[in-house]
Amino acid sequence: MTQPTGPAVQEFATGFLRTAIHPHGPGYLWIRRPGDDRPVPLSAPGAPVRAALTALRPAGLRLALPEAVGDALHYQVPGPVPVAKLCVGRDPGLPPGPVAGALSGTGAALRLLHTGVPASLALSGPPGPARLAFWIREGGGPRAAQAFHTIVRRQLGTTRWDLVQEWCHALATDLSGGVFLHGAPSLGSVVVGDAPDGGCLLSGEDVARGPADFDLGWLLGEFVEWRMTLRRRTPGLDLDPDDFHTALDALGRGYGEPADPVAAGRAAVLRVFTHAHDFAAYMGWHPELLEYTVKIAELIDDEGAQALF
């Protein structure tokens, strides 16, 4: 059983997820625990999925799989900094070469997951859209979830609102033609190492089955949000547009063109919408959520085409 050998060097938490990062051997131990308001527990992959993922050898990146320890998941990773830190400012722990290598490797790894693991090992659709669909139906939740529901429903209107529910419903129920998915690839789950091929992608928590380009689109949704932050020009945020373009280009090199741009675009829409919900529910109200309601409407109208390479 892997345990931390020193105090945490970083800790961050929401009502959904708590993370502590400890030095561990030559690298770090990332410990994820459920937040106080998380509706479902964290889960490690079962033995068949673990065996299939361990057998994969993606180029330029390692898939880091968790060990379940009580209600927590422990990941052994090469570094303390995820690529997501670049979305809020420059970081000396994220040099361009290793960042580009980690994103290129992530793209290649997502492509390999879809072809290298039997789809039958995943029994449900991706969890993010399912969480979004439940909130769209029920409207409640902690902190600002209910208030944001009222605001975004008014902004989107009935047609867009119903369309998003249809997309979520299809991902949850139409599994027949799907492939094995990472389920929720995130810039917060791409950890950079010391070399361009030294990074890893936290994997195994959210494995799912669905359209082959869902994973790519879900990650591209986070680039939409990164671009929104760049354009916002918030005082005090030291953001470099070159970091954005380097990362996006590297992801594209690793993954290649999506086979189904519509599936990828819709996934990007759902990622941005789900993140807005998660922020309202698990962190609380922020004025930028009003900006998100406008952007989500734009994304629905073009089915996420603006998010694609």
Side-chain angles (χ1 to χ4, degrees):
M1 183 179 296
T2 306
Q3 293 291 348
T5 55
V9 295
Q10 289 190 59
E11 293 183 87
F12 37 91
T14 72
F16 190 71
L17 185 68
R18 296 179 291 147
T19 302
I21 302 172
H22 301 259
H24 185 78
Y28 291 82
L29 184 67
W30 285 43
I31 300 178
R32 285 179 162 180
R33 289 189 169 87
D36 293 338
D37 300 309
R38 189 182 181 98
V40 294
L42 292 167
S43 60
V49 171
R50 180 178 292 276
L53 294 177
T54 302
L56 296 179
R57 293 290 183 270
L61 183 99
R62 177 174 65 86
L63 297 177
L65 304 181
E67 175 189 6
V69 181
D71 67 342
L73 297 181
H74 290 196
Y75 292 86
Q76 294 187 62
V77 305
V81 187
V83 173
K85 287 289 292 291
L86 288 175
C87 302
V88 293
R90 296 173 176 170
D91 192 299
L94 295 170
V99 168
L103 264 300
S104 177
T106 294
L110 294 179
R111 179 75 80 177
L112 182 60
L113 278 175
H114 304 159
T115 57
V117 181
S120 58
L121 291 182
L123 304 177
S124 61
R131 187 166 69 252
L132 177 65
F134 179 82
W135 171 73
I136 286 177
R137 288 195 308 272
E138 303 297 326
R143 300 179 182 82
Q146 185 170 352
F148 184 58
H149 187 275
T150 300
I151 292 169
V152 72
R153 181 168 191 170
R154 184 187 307 127
Q155 173 70 31
L156 297 186
T158 301
T159 300
R160 296 190 186 101
W161 194 255
D162 292 344
L163 191 55
V164 171
Q165 291 188 82
E166 289 177 16
W167 295 349
C168 292
H169 180 74
L171 286 167
T173 60
D174 185 12
L175 306 180
S176 58
V179 301
F180 186 91
L181 299 173
H182 178 285
S186 167
L187 294 173
S189 296
V190 180
V191 181
V192 173
D194 292 332
D197 61 352
C200 74
L201 173 63
L202 308 188
S203 305
E205 285 180 47
D206 303 298
V207 295
R209 185 170 175 174
D213 291 312
F214 174 88
D215 278 341
L216 173 67
W218 192 257
L219 195 48
L220 288 176
E222 298 197 354
F223 279 88
V224 171
E225 297 180 75
W226 190 350
R227 187 185 293 116
M228 290 169 64
T229 305
L230 281 169
R231 291 176 175 172
R232 201 176 294 131
R233 300 180 185 276
T234 303
L237 285 188
D238 183 19
L239 298 173
D240 187 342
D242 288 343
D243 290 335
F244 170 87
H245 293 295
T246 297
L248 183 60
D249 291 347
L251 177 65
R253 283 197 307 276
Y255 190 89
E257 293 292 328
D260 186 346
V262 173
R266 290 178 180 178
V269 179
L270 296 179
R271 177 58 186 133
V272 176
F273 202 169
T274 301
H275 194 196
H277 157 263
D278 289 353
F279 194 99
Y282 303 122
M283 296 190 73
W285 177 255
H286 192 285
E288 288 173 8
L289 288 171
L290 297 176
E291 177 189 356
Y292 267 79
T293 64
V294 176
K295 175 55 71 176
I296 292 166
E298 292 177 4
L299 288 164
I300 295 170
D301 289 346
D302 73 3
E303 296 192 277
Q306 63 183 272
L308 304 183
F309 299 123

